[in-house]
Amino acid sequence: MGNTSKLRSVLLIGVIIATFTGRNIQENTVNSIAVVSGIGVDKSEGKYIVTLQIYNPAANRKDASDEVAAYTYKQEGETVQEAIQNMYKITSRRMFLQSAQIVVFSERLARDGLSDVLNYLIREPNVYSDIKFMICKDISPYDLFRIFTPVSKVSSSRFKEVLERGMRHMGYRGFATLENAKEILTARTTQLTVPYISVVGNPKEGFKKTNIEQSTPGVLISLEGVTVFRGDRLYRMLSFEESIMYRIVQGQLNRASVTTGCPHSKGRVSWKLSSTKSVISVISERRPYTFRLGVQAKANIYDITCKGNLADPIYIKELEKKSSKDLQVKLQDLIRKSQTYNTDFIGFSDAMYHQNPSLWGRISKQWSRLYPDAKIEGKFEIKLINTGDIIRIVK
């Protein structure tokens, strides 16, 4: 019994020592590094401006006071690496980039070209290749990170949440990551698309903590849609509605809503998509090249103000026909805009590459000249799965 008691005492003392030693090591480690939560990259007058948002552990404990949850620093350099290296002028802690949750590029940088920055970030071993990135419109990454955002104390975490939850709520599948950007820019058979956000309200008011101390914040972050690129340069920004149609075409949009008109009456009907299927076919392999883009969607009625009998199969067919026609117009508008912009973000070149690789090999270098003149037919078909509990309502 005596030896057992001594052994327990020794073990208890060992656990206590290990606990305090581990805690001290952990605290010393945290105090020696700058935990980066977000990275921003901008460019001005030939120099890169890098913003790092540094997580403040002291402000994120349960017993934390009103300390700022994160600090935002920026430095410039001839290269991104030089700008990050210059951060050590204002902080002596080692930059822990592995913890970064998101990368934000300025609109100005994206229009100038992202290749050099993407190549650096892909080569940088401390930045994960699956990290998500986006574009900020009409505001610099530095100012964006300085905005006090509701829900999350750290603004970069909030941006990531807006991107992920906002896109998933709208039914988006798939995000822009360094890895898929590299694949797209290397393959050159389709164009890069990247989500973009903007600030609603006066950004300067968002720099004040009072922005989150009121029931309705005066400054908010808004997920606007997707940008389309020509090569590595941002070329156009699609509207929210255009972005939804683009995602439908890409097969990346499920569980989202689309709104169409009513047959024979005023009113609107909202459809909740449950599945979408998109097929691009090369119809003619002679100039002008001809394509057919067919989109099929299965959906439920989500909301309706039409005057009609949803128990009548004939009316249902009319409703499907009218809605298909409305969505087909939107689809054709997106195709027309793609050709007008001369940036094949929909993926007709990719379809040709897979259906006739030898032909694509012969014309790929001329595609930017040939694409605007291609003949493209867009067809959209929506099918009702069921009418739910409102099947017997007659208006």
Side-chain angles (χ1 to χ4, degrees):
M1 291 293 292
N3 290 335
T4 301
S5 299
K6 288 181 180 179
L7 179 61
R8 287 177 178 172
S9 299
V10 170
L11 290 174
L12 180 60
I13 293 171
V15 169
I16 294 172
I17 293 174
T19 300
F20 279 103
T21 302
R23 185 176 298 167
N24 288 334
I25 292 174
Q26 184 179 22
E27 288 180 356
N28 288 335
T29 301
V30 170
N31 291 331
S32 66
I33 63 175
V35 181
V36 177
S37 60
I39 303 172
V41 188
D42 196 359
K43 196 174 185 180
S44 178
E45 298 181 354
K47 289 192 175 183
Y48 290 101
I49 304 168
V50 175
T51 298
L52 296 181
Q53 186 166 70
I54 309 300
Y55 183 78
N56 179 14
N60 289 277
R61 295 196 306 253
K62 290 183 178 179
D63 59 344
S65 61
D66 287 337
E67 290 188 70
V68 176
Y71 298 99
T72 302
Y73 302 104
K74 72 173 180 178
Q75 286 290 303
E76 65 177 36
E78 298 291 339
T79 65
V80 175
Q81 174 57 34
E82 182 179 285
I84 293 177
Q85 192 67 29
N86 287 338
M87 290 287 177
Y88 290 102
K89 294 178 180 179
I90 52 179
T91 177
S92 58
R93 296 186 178 188
R94 181 173 67 86
M95 302 297 163
F96 190 72
L97 297 176
Q98 293 97 321
S99 56
Q101 301 183 67
I102 198 161
V103 179
V104 180
F105 297 124
S106 71
E107 180 183 349
R108 175 171 51 189
L109 171 68
R111 291 191 184 278
D112 191 49
L114 289 181
S115 284
D116 291 342
V117 179
L118 288 174
N119 284 332
Y120 165 74
L121 292 172
I122 290 168
R123 288 194 303 267
E124 170 56 64
N126 295 315
V127 176
Y128 295 127
S129 62
D130 62 348
I131 191 171
K132 299 173 180 64
F133 68 94
M134 60 185 175
I135 310 295
C136 55
K137 179 185 178 184
D138 299 330
I139 189 171
S140 69
Y142 176 67
D143 284 342
L144 186 70
F145 281 131
R146 292 167 62 200
I147 292 176
F148 283 90
T149 56
V151 183
S152 178
K153 287 185 177 181
V154 183
S155 59
S156 57
S157 300
R158 179 58 179 162
F159 304 151
K160 180 172 180 283
E161 182 181 86
V162 167
L163 179 65
E164 290 183 341
R165 294 190 179 181
M167 293 182 76
R168 286 189 182 125
H169 179 72
M170 291 185 290
Y172 283 44
R173 292 183 294 133
F175 302 92
T177 65
L178 298 179
E179 193 170 26
N180 65 28
K182 179 183 177 182
E183 291 175 358
I184 291 172
L185 292 174
T186 302
R188 297 181 182 276
T189 56
T190 189
Q191 296 295 337
L192 181 66
T193 59
V194 182
Y196 71 98
I197 61 173
S198 66
V199 175
V200 179
N202 183 356
K204 292 183 179 179
E205 295 301 316
F207 301 158
K208 304 173 184 177
K209 201 171 182 181
T210 52
N211 186 53
I212 57 173
E213 292 175 345
Q214 47 191 329
S215 58
T216 303
V219 181
L220 295 168
I221 305 299
S222 174
L223 176 64
E224 297 293 330
V226 296
T227 59
V228 296
F229 280 65
R230 182 187 285 174
D232 74 323
R233 297 171 185 265
L234 188 157
Y235 191 66
R236 285 290 189 274
M237 293 184 167
L238 299 183
S239 68
F240 182 79
E241 191 174 64
E242 291 168 342
S243 298
I244 287 180
M245 181 56 68
Y246 164 73
R247 290 293 186 178
I248 290 175
V249 171
Q250 297 300 306
Q252 298 176 340
L253 191 66
N254 292 326
R255 304 183 308 279
S257 298
V258 292
T259 301
T260 59
C262 304
H264 318 306
S265 68
K266 294 182 180 180
R268 306 293 286 173
V269 55
S270 291
W271 299 82
K272 192 75 169 181
L273 303 181
S274 62
S275 66
T276 58
K277 182 181 179 182
S278 176
V279 178
I280 297 177
S281 304
V282 182
I283 305 302
S284 172
E285 296 180 351
R286 295 182 179 181
R287 301 181 186 179
Y289 300 104
T290 306
F291 299 84
R292 179 181 295 120
L293 170 56
V295 180
Q296 293 180 327
K298 293 182 179 179
N300 289 310
I301 290 179
Y302 201 58
D303 189 14
I304 186 168
T305 59
C306 301
K307 293 180 179 180
N309 186 356
L310 292 177
D312 183 356
I314 296 177
Y315 181 75
I316 293 298
K317 289 295 182 183
E318 292 175 342
L319 189 60
E320 290 175 337
K321 185 177 180 180
K322 168 60 177 172
S323 296
S324 296
K325 184 178 180 181
D326 287 357
L327 292 170
Q328 187 164 310
V329 170
K330 293 180 180 180
L331 175 62
Q332 204 67 52
D333 285 345
L334 185 70
I335 294 171
R336 189 179 301 110
K337 186 160 288 188
S338 172
Q339 291 187 280
T340 301
Y341 293 164
N342 194 11
T343 171
D344 183 12
F345 55 85
I346 295 176
F348 296 101
S349 56
D350 192 56
M352 182 174 282
Y353 167 74
H354 284 94
Q355 293 178 42
N356 194 332
S358 60
L359 174 61
W360 174 249
R362 294 194 301 271
I363 69 170
S364 58
K365 293 182 180 179
Q366 309 170 51
W367 187 240
S368 61
R369 180 169 58 83
L370 299 171
Y371 178 59
D373 295 325
K375 294 182 178 180
I376 304 171
E377 175 193 352
K379 184 176 182 180
F380 202 111
E381 184 179 16
I382 191 166
K383 288 290 183 182
L384 177 65
I385 299 175
N386 62 67
T387 54
D389 295 334
I390 60 174
I391 192 166
R392 296 192 178 278
I393 294 178
V394 179
K395 294 185 177 180

